[in-house]
Amino acid sequence: MRCLFLRVVRALEVLMSMPEWDGRNLWVCGGSQGAWQSLAGAALVKEVSGIAVWIPAGCDLASGGWPFNSLTGKKELAPELLRTLPYFDGCSFCSRIGEIPVFFALGLADEVCRADGVMAAFNSLKTGTRELSVHYQMGHEFSASVMASADRFVRENLR
């Protein structure tokens, strides 16, 4: 997992080194595992200016959040994992994200990235500029309306 997040940091560093970057707007966006990577990028790179994520993975890992709910096949995780997982959890990343705009979309019927873990991550945010888009019958997918909401949020919060 560490390499997964270090690659995000490196990708953001490359983007910031390009002459096309305006020095102000650096957004991370994604869904599922890409959302998890976005949360890590925002927590680890202070230049990130905003986040838009939908159905984020990696939230509430120790209680069975993806990917460990599908990898272990067991009800209980090994003690070694229980000690280590909090460092990579979406809640941990969200608690490190500064005062930037954040958009979250989640599905209450999502059995892969469960709503309780996603809500815990959202509630770990310290920023005042945040929006939560709850979809009552959405599972682990997203619709055009979710993407339109995320796009609107990003456009409204560009610097």
Side-chain angles (χ1 to χ4, degrees), residues 51-54 101-105 130-131 133 146 149-150 152-153:
I51 310 167
V53 296
W54 45 95
V102 180
F103 173 87
F104 264 57
R130 60 186 183 165
E131 183 176 315
S133 179
V146 169
S149 296
R152 174 200 44 79
F153 183 84

Side-chain angles (χ1 to χ4, degrees), residues 82-100:
L82 289 173
R83 281 194 303 275
T84 307
L85 287 176
Y87 293 104
F88 300 99
D89 195 284
C91 292
S92 175
F93 290 136
C94 283
S95 71
R96 297 183 60 188
I97 293 171
E99 189 63 38
I100 61 172

Side-chain angles (χ1 to χ4, degrees), residues 46-66:
K46 66 178 172 50
E47 291 85 0
V48 169
S49 59
I51 310 167
V53 296
W54 45 95
I55 56 172
C59 299
D60 199 16
L61 293 174
S63 293
W66 188 90

Side-chain angles (χ1 to χ4, degrees), residues 4 12 16 41 49 77 99 106 108:
L4 176 80
L12 291 169
M16 291 184 297
S49 59
L77 296 173
E99 189 63 38
L106 65 95
L108 292 180

Side-chain angles (χ1 to χ4, degrees), residues 59 90-92 94-95 102 104 106 115-127 130 132:
C59 299
C91 292
S92 175
C94 283
S95 71
V102 180
F104 264 57
L106 65 95
D116 58 344
V118 175
M119 290 294 296
F122 182 80
N123 288 331
S124 298
L125 292 165
K126 295 178 174 80
T127 183
R130 60 186 183 165
L132 178 65

Side-chain angles (χ1 to χ4, degrees), residues 23-43:
R24 295 184 322 261
N25 292 292
L26 184 63
W27 280 72
V28 287
C29 305
S32 195
Q33 184 175 336
W36 191 16
Q37 292 173 286
S38 296
L39 296 176

